[in-house]
Amino acid sequence: MIWDYLRKNAKNYAEKSALKEVEFVQNNYVEKSISWGEFYEQSNKVANYLVEMGIRKGDKVGIFLHNCLEWLPIFIGVMKSGAIVVPLNYRYDAKELRYCLDVVECRVLFSDSRYGDLLAECFRNLKKKPFCVFISEATMKQPNSNWESFDNLLENSKSEERDLVSDDAEDAAIYFTSGTTGTPKAILLAHSSIEAAAKLEQKHHGQVSDDIFLVIPPLYHTGATMHWLGSLLVGGEAILLKNMAPRYVLETISREKVTLVWLLVPWAQDILAAIECGDICLGDYELSQWRLMHMGAQPIPPSLVENWLKIFPNHQYDTNYGLSEATGPGCIHLGVENMHKLGAIGKAGEGWSIAIFKEDGQLADIGESGELAVRGPGVMKEYYGDPVATKETIKNGWLFTGDLAYADEDGFVYIVDRKKDIIIVGGENVSAVQVESYVSHHPAVKDVAVIGIKNERVGEMILAVIELKPGMKCSKSEMIRYFDNLPEYKRPRKIVFDKVLRNSTGKIDKVSIRKRYNK
């Protein structure tokens, strides 16, 4: 089980820092940390507390928290107890949180008193109200009288290890999809899938105990937790950066001697833009130890990686492809040795298989596009409580990703677009991703999102939302001239200069963009 590695780290690196929380408060650098020994003890206390209060196998325990030192010990402790851990998006409003809690019916919810008012609103119409454990003093209005403080939990619970999971095929976690194409779905994962993801991450990125991993994305997302598990396997420290800004990222890397960083696309864009406009001077930071930057969660514009490697020529780079239904990143990855294939998402990870299926169910030929499917140790057990959606997604052991892709003669896979993100212009299929990739090469463009908007004559018209780099100017007429090298039917006919909306996991929020502009 995954906590076997935690036990080993507590034995071998008891006093070594396991997690450090970093926050910039009025430009002051504030940090606090826990050792591997303390991490191990806290996870045991969480498990014992839950068992003593009557939590049993199959019960759900939610985590509705921002990134903090308590998050990962709670995550491991819940699974140790035999319960199913349910990470929840702390950016949910009351309605969204109520929907997710109604789906899984959590008996216990770990949260923070800062969310007291939101929880009170959420709980008013909730079918089953969970018992709450708050990690900070209860200074705000509480949702009900059934709550405990995390400090009291740690003070009064036993620290002996309790392991109630005997079979790694048992249910371990329920993650919710990010909801970019509609209502979030609940993804049920087994313990075996989580451990397989940890081993795959460590194999892909070669973590050792001396590596230090900077964690910026929210831990409720499989990408963040599964990437961190590579550090857990070897006893490497992780830094939880609580507020994101280019200067904060580089200062933290410099101070903490960070060696590994996973960035979402908009953060990499922000860092490059800050360097380009002179807001950041790289000479102010010690970055020589930083060996690897990797990205994922969406198609990566090759121009972004090319620009990154010009600024950071000594970095290794990797693209990670994954989805929560496959226990996060790693089922496909580019590999640091394959920069000649930049633009591809890579090949199958170890233990994984890839297939591309045409609409008629036949396998696509080399260079022919179809729906990407994956098969391997991390495929979800089901969409919890939704057998119809499960049957539509898992067919004969293959997980159909909803991504359209093709493979080249060397077996490298290239994403064409989301299956639901193809724009049909006058009967011609247009890939939004391909148009976005073209527009992103313009020197003034920081970010771009392309959607189809309804048009009576041709069915759909292409609209491009373009976010310019700070201080850069570009007119619509200039951009229209730039489109001349595109086939006519692929050219955006409407241009909006605006911020590109992205969700908390860095993906372009096409649902919100369509709502805003498809009127």
Side-chain angles (χ1 to χ4, degrees):
M1 301 299 176
I2 200 68
W3 48 85
D4 293 335
Y5 301 96
L6 175 56
R7 184 191 312 114
K8 180 186 71 175
N9 292 341
K11 179 180 178 180
N12 296 336
Y13 309 113
E15 302 302 320
K16 179 185 175 185
S17 175
L19 299 171
K20 182 177 288 186
E21 177 186 305
V22 169
E23 185 172 15
F24 288 81
V25 181
Q26 297 179 341
N27 287 325
N28 293 317
Y29 192 86
V30 180
E31 60 181 274
K32 55 182 179 178
S33 64
I34 59 172
S35 67
W36 282 113
E38 291 169 321
F39 189 152
Y40 175 67
E41 183 177 274
Q42 286 187 17
S43 70
N44 289 339
K45 288 185 174 183
V46 169
N48 284 309
Y49 176 84
L50 293 173
V51 171
E52 291 299 323
M53 72 178 299
I55 296 298
R56 297 295 179 259
K57 282 187 180 180
D59 288 340
K60 288 82 174 181
V61 176
I63 305 177
F64 187 64
L65 287 170
H66 53 287
N67 285 10
C68 56
L69 281 183
E70 296 85 355
W71 205 105
L72 288 165
I74 292 169
F75 177 76
I76 299 290
V78 172
M79 290 191 291
K80 272 188 182 183
S81 75
I84 300 171
V85 65
V86 184
L88 293 158
N89 184 342
Y90 61 80
R91 294 181 175 92
Y92 282 150
D93 61 23
K95 182 179 178 181
E96 292 167 324
L97 180 60
R98 184 185 306 120
Y99 169 81
C100 294
L101 291 176
D102 274 340
V103 169
V104 296
E105 296 185 340
C106 288
R107 286 194 58 193
V108 177
L109 183 68
F110 286 86
S111 190
D112 191 313
S113 63
R114 75 174 70 181
Y115 302 121
D117 291 333
L118 184 150
L119 293 174
E121 181 183 349
C122 168
F123 286 8
R124 271 197 289 270
N125 297 307
L126 194 63
K127 294 174 186 175
K128 292 188 177 181
K129 296 179 177 61
F131 182 89
C132 291
V133 179
F134 291 101
I135 66 165
S136 58
E137 291 300 318
T139 57
M140 296 175 61
K141 178 181 178 183
Q142 301 305 331
N144 57 34
S145 59
N146 298 317
W147 62 273
E148 174 70 278
S149 78
F150 190 69
D151 286 344
N152 285 343
L153 181 157
L154 294 180
E155 184 176 346
N156 298 316
S157 298
K158 298 175 182 177
S159 60
E160 292 80 11
E161 182 162 34
R162 186 191 293 262
D163 182 356
L164 297 178
V165 182
S166 56
D167 186 348
D168 65 6
E170 290 181 24
D171 300 341
I174 293 176
Y175 281 85
F176 280 87
T177 60
S178 56
T180 56
T181 57
T183 304
K185 295 185 180 70
I187 297 161
L188 180 61
L189 302 175
H191 287 278
S192 58
S193 295
I194 293 174
E195 186 169 3
K199 292 177 178 178
L200 194 64
E201 164 62 20
Q202 195 277 328
K203 181 175 180 61
H204 284 170
H205 296 140
Q207 290 95 329
V208 296
S209 61
D210 289 337
D211 271 318
I212 299 174
F213 176 41
L214 180 62
V215 181
I216 313 172
L219 287 166
Y220 64 73
H221 185 244
T222 51
T225 44
M226 301 311 155
H227 280 312
W228 168 76
L229 287 175
S231 299
L232 172 66
L233 259 60
V234 297
E237 184 182 15
I239 311 297
L240 306 175
L241 178 58
K242 297 189 68 171
N243 37 10
M244 168 62 204
R247 183 177 69 79
Y248 296 163
V249 172
L250 294 181
E251 185 167 339
T252 303
I253 292 170
S254 180
R255 281 178 179 250
E256 303 297 338
K257 302 298 183 284
V258 168
T259 60
L260 304 168
V261 181
W262 177 45
L263 293 176
L264 301 176
V265 165
W267 299 341
Q269 291 169 331
D270 288 345
I271 291 170
L272 290 179
I275 294 169
E276 187 175 337
C277 73
D279 285 349
I280 283 178
C281 175
L282 290 180
D284 294 339
Y285 307 98
E286 176 51 64
L287 306 174
S288 60
Q289 79 290 340
W290 184 5
R291 68 173 179 85
L292 173 69
M293 189 278 277
H294 52 104
M295 287 193 286
Q298 68 166 95
I300 311 298
S303 60
L304 175 59
V305 181
E306 291 164 357
N307 291 337
W308 185 274
L309 294 176
K310 288 178 184 175
I311 301 296
F312 299 101
N314 297 321
H315 278 186
Q316 292 179 316
Y317 170 77
D318 192 18
T319 294
N320 307 282
Y321 172 88
L323 57 166
S324 296
E325 291 87 339
T327 320
C331 58
I332 304 174
H333 88 120
L334 182 61
V336 298
E337 70 280 8
N338 291 316
M339 290 303 96
H340 62 292
K341 292 289 187 177
L342 204 58
I345 57 171
K347 289 184 172 183
E350 186 170 321
W352 286 86
S353 301
I354 296 172
I356 296 173
F357 291 94
K358 297 185 292 185
E359 286 191 11
D360 62 6
Q362 300 299 307
L363 291 172
D365 294 328
I366 292 173
E368 187 177 17
S369 66
E371 184 171 358
L372 175 64
V374 297
R375 183 169 62 190
V379 170
M380 68 176 180
K381 300 183 78 169
E382 63 180 30
Y383 285 122
Y384 181 77
D386 195 342
V388 174
T390 302
K391 190 174 180 180
E392 290 173 349
T393 303
I394 301 178
K395 304 171 186 177
N396 298 320
W398 288 102
L399 171 66
F400 282 73
T401 66
D403 285 322
L404 297 178
Y406 69 90
D408 66 15
E409 64 280 0
D410 298 318
F412 284 83
V413 176
Y414 295 76
I415 294 295
V416 175
D417 215 326
R418 289 291 298 170
K419 190 175 182 180
K420 297 179 181 178
D421 207 17
I422 293 293
I423 304 167
I424 303 176
V425 181
E428 297 280 0
N429 287 355
V430 177
S431 162
V433 166
Q434 290 180 343
V435 178
E436 288 164 354
S437 179
Y438 176 82
V439 177
S440 70
H441 280 81
H442 191 287
V445 172
K446 175 186 174 185
D447 204 0
V448 57
V450 168
I451 63 169
I453 58 175
K454 295 175 183 177
N455 181 272
E456 290 184 3
R457 191 171 71 86
V458 294
E460 288 185 292
M461 179 187 297
I462 300 174
L463 178 145
V465 181
I466 298 173
E467 182 177 346
L468 298 177
K469 294 176 181 176
M472 299 291 281
K473 294 182 179 180
C474 181
S475 66
K476 289 186 179 181
S477 58
E478 180 184 343
M479 193 58 68
I480 288 170
R481 289 194 297 273
Y482 181 69
F483 296 154
D484 284 345
N485 289 325
L486 284 170
E488 189 170 354
Y489 72 95
K490 291 186 178 182
R491 297 174 190 170
R493 299 301 176 181
K494 289 205 170 187
I495 300 169
V496 177
F497 290 112
D498 199 358
K499 183 175 180 60
V500 173
L501 300 177
R502 290 179 176 269
N503 67 14
S504 57
T505 58
K507 297 177 183 177
I508 297 174
D509 190 349
K510 292 288 179 80
V511 172
S512 296
I513 291 173
R514 289 190 184 98
K515 284 180 181 178
R516 176 176 291 188
Y517 299 109
N518 215 345
K519 296 179 181 178

